[in-house]
Amino acid sequence: MSETFAAASGAFAARAAALDAADRLADLRKLFALDDTVYLDGNSLGALPAHVPARVQEVLTREWGELRIRSWDESGWWTAPERIGDRIAPLVGAAAGQIVVGDSTSVNVFKAVVAASRLAPGERDEILVDATTFPTDGYIAASAARMTGHRLVPVTPAEVPDALGPRTAAVLLNHVDYRTGRLHDLPGLTAAVHAAGGLAVWDLCHSAGALPVGLDAHGVDLAVGCTYKYLNGGPGSPAYLYVAERHQAAFDSPLPGWTSHADPFGMTPGYAPADGAVRGRVGTPDILSMLALEASLDVWNGVPVEAVRAKSLALTDFFLECVAAYAPEGRVTSLTPAAHAERGSQVALRCEEAEPVMSALVARGVVGDLRRPDVLRFGFTPLYVGFADVERAARVLGEVLGEVPGEALGEAPGEVPGSRGR
C-alpha cells in the first residue's frame, strides 16, 4: 500500500467513524441478520430482518399447523393483501385503500398497462415504454400492446415529452434506472403525460423504500413495485399494485380472478369486480411469503422516508468521494448522476474488468453485483449500511483495481452476483 493510499485511508476512516456516530438511523442495523460482510446488494435482495424467522415459524406451526383453514378468518389471511398494502402506502406517498399486495412485479405491470390503456379516453392507441427499462417491463408492454391492438413506442425518459400526443394512451416508466441508478423526474413526466391526455404508470422497484415517491401528491395513475429490495421482504416476496382512488371504479383488470370478485365465495359464472384496490387481486394470496413481508415491514415503524433519503445521498456521496481517492485513475467511471435530484440509492461504475473485479470483491467480503458486460452496481440501503461500510468497500475496490487485472483476478472463487433479479 502506498503512503498516499494509506494516508487517504486513515482520513476517510476517521470521517466514516464521525458520520456513523452522528447517524440517527445507525441503531436500525441491529434489526437485521448481518455479519461482517459489507452488503451493498440490497438494491437486488434486501437483508433479512432478524425477527422474521420467528414470525414465519409462528405462521407455520400455529396458523397453518393448528388453525389450518380457520386462519383465513381468524389469522387475517384473507385481508392480508390490502392490509399489507396499507402499510406500504406511506412509504410511497399514498393514502390507504389504493395498494394491493400480490403476484409478481411482471404480472402487476401487465395489469397496470392494460388497465391504463382501457382507462385512456377517446381513440388513443399508443403505449409509450421506457426504452432503457428492465427487459421484462418491455416484454410485458409489448404483449399488452399486441393484446389491446395498440402501437408500442419505445422512448427514453428524456424523449417522452416530445413523443406524447393525441394518440398516447399510457406511458410506462421506471422511477430509477436499474442499471445506472439514475432517478427520473416522476412529477414532471407525470404532469407531461396528463397534459397530453394519457395515463402514467410507474415502476417503483428501485425507489420504494429508498426515497420519497409521492404517488398521490404527483397524481400518478397506476404504479407497481417489488418488495424484496429496499423493503426487505425476502426472495420472491409478492409485489404490489397501486391504483389511484379516482380510477378504481373504472379499473378493468385483464386478469379478473375469483379473489377480486365482489362475491368471491358466490362462485358465480359472471364476473362482478369488487370495490376499491381489491380489484387488483387475482388468485389465492401467497400467504407464507406475504406474512414474511408483513413482518419485515416492522423495521419501518417510526422511520421517516425523508431521513432515509438524506442518509442515502450522504452514503452515495461519500462512496463516490472515496472511490475517486482510492481507485487508480481511469479504471472506473461513474454512470450514476452526481446531481442529487437525478440519483437513486445505488452507484453504478463502468469497469472493463467488471466480472473478475466483482468476484474479487465478493471474495474479500464486499458484496455488490454487476450488469454485464462492464457495470459494477453498489446498492446502499440506509437502514443497515453505514459509512464505515462505504469506506471499506471503496478501499477494497481500490486495492483490487490496483492488482494485476485479467486472469489473476478471474481466479477468485464463487459465482458473481448480478445474474439474478433486477
Side-chain angles (χ1 to χ4, degrees):
M1 181 183 296
S2 70
E3 291 184 8
T4 302
F5 193 103
S9 176
F12 281 123
R15 281 181 56 193
L19 289 166
D20 281 331
D23 178 15
R24 294 183 298 167
L25 302 181
D27 285 346
L28 294 174
R29 182 185 178 97
K30 295 183 293 188
L31 301 179
F32 293 85
L34 293 166
D35 51 25
D36 292 335
T37 299
V38 176
Y39 189 65
L40 300 183
D41 211 5
N43 57 321
S44 190
L45 176 64
L48 170 69
H51 67 284
V52 170
R55 172 58 180 145
V56 172
Q57 186 63 41
E58 179 186 25
V59 174
L60 290 171
T61 57
R62 168 67 177 161
E63 297 183 9
W64 181 15
E66 297 178 16
L67 296 179
R68 294 177 287 276
I69 201 166
R70 292 163 52 193
S71 277
W72 286 106
D73 293 320
E74 295 180 29
S75 301
W77 287 2
W78 185 257
T79 56
E82 295 75 47
R83 182 178 71 245
I84 302 171
D86 284 346
R87 293 194 62 182
I88 292 173
L91 302 179
V92 293
Q98 298 177 98
I99 294 179
V100 64
V101 173
D103 305 312
S104 67
T105 306
S106 301
V107 171
N108 283 316
V109 168
F110 180 71
K111 296 178 202 172
V113 173
V114 173
S117 299
R118 293 172 174 175
L119 284 166
E123 301 300 319
R124 296 171 177 269
D125 62 355
E126 287 186 350
I127 298 172
L128 273 60
V129 63
D130 183 350
T132 63
T133 189
F134 186 75
T136 291
D137 284 19
Y139 306 156
I140 295 293
S143 177
R146 291 194 301 272
M147 192 180 88
T148 59
H150 285 39
R151 174 174 171 258
L152 189 70
V153 183
V155 291
T156 66
E159 295 170 335
V160 166
D162 290 335
L164 295 166
R167 296 178 60 183
T168 303
V171 182
L172 172 62
L173 294 166
N174 284 264
H175 196 190
V176 174
D177 186 290
Y178 81 101
R179 185 176 174 85
T180 66
R182 176 179 289 276
L183 173 65
H184 295 301
D185 181 10
L186 182 147
L189 289 171
T190 299
V193 172
H194 289 169
L199 279 80
V201 182
W202 285 91
D203 182 328
L204 310 178
C205 283
H206 283 271
S207 58
L211 52 90
V213 177
L215 292 178
D216 287 353
H218 302 307
V220 170
D221 299 294
L222 298 106
V224 302
C226 67
T227 61
Y228 49 79
K229 299 183 189 299
Y230 298 106
L231 299 184
N232 309 295
S237 56
Y240 57 90
L241 171 67
Y242 164 88
V243 181
E245 184 178 11
R246 65 186 180 278
H247 291 310
Q248 289 177 359
F251 178 82
D252 183 7
S253 174
L255 297 172
W258 76 284
T259 70
S260 64
H261 197 287
D263 182 15
F265 295 98
M267 304 299 173
T268 57
Y271 180 73
D275 293 330
V278 177
R279 289 190 178 201
R281 293 174 63 154
V282 182
T284 305
D286 186 347
I287 290 300
L288 297 183
S289 62
M290 190 167 289
L291 297 187
L293 164 63
E294 183 175 35
S296 297
L297 292 171
D298 289 348
V299 300
W300 285 94
N301 292 342
V303 179
V305 177
E306 293 75 15
V308 170
R309 174 59 168 167
K311 182 177 176 181
S312 165
L313 291 172
L315 288 169
T316 49
D317 278 344
F318 189 53
F319 181 70
L320 287 167
E321 185 180 354
C322 289
V323 168
Y326 287 138
E329 187 175 356
R331 292 294 300 281
V332 294
T333 304
S334 178
L335 299 176
T336 304
H340 286 181
E342 299 175 0
R343 187 195 309 166
S345 199
Q346 76 177 48
V347 172
L349 302 176
R350 173 165 285 146
C351 175
E352 289 185 5
E353 303 86 12
E355 190 162 354
V357 165
M358 185 55 71
S359 291
L361 287 172
V362 172
R364 300 182 195 194
V366 175
V367 178
D369 67 15
L370 64 88
R371 284 296 173 261
R372 293 181 174 87
D374 61 356
V375 177
L376 302 169
R377 294 198 319 173
F378 301 93
F380 298 83
T381 304
L383 298 187
Y384 54 76
V385 173
F387 292 90
D389 296 322
V390 168
E391 188 278 330
R392 177 182 161 194
R395 175 166 35 86
V396 174
L397 174 62
E399 292 169 355
V400 168
L401 291 171
E403 297 173 357
V404 179
E407 293 183 2
L409 288 178
E411 294 171 0
E415 183 176 353
V416 181
S419 59
R420 310 289 188 269
R422 292 179 174 231

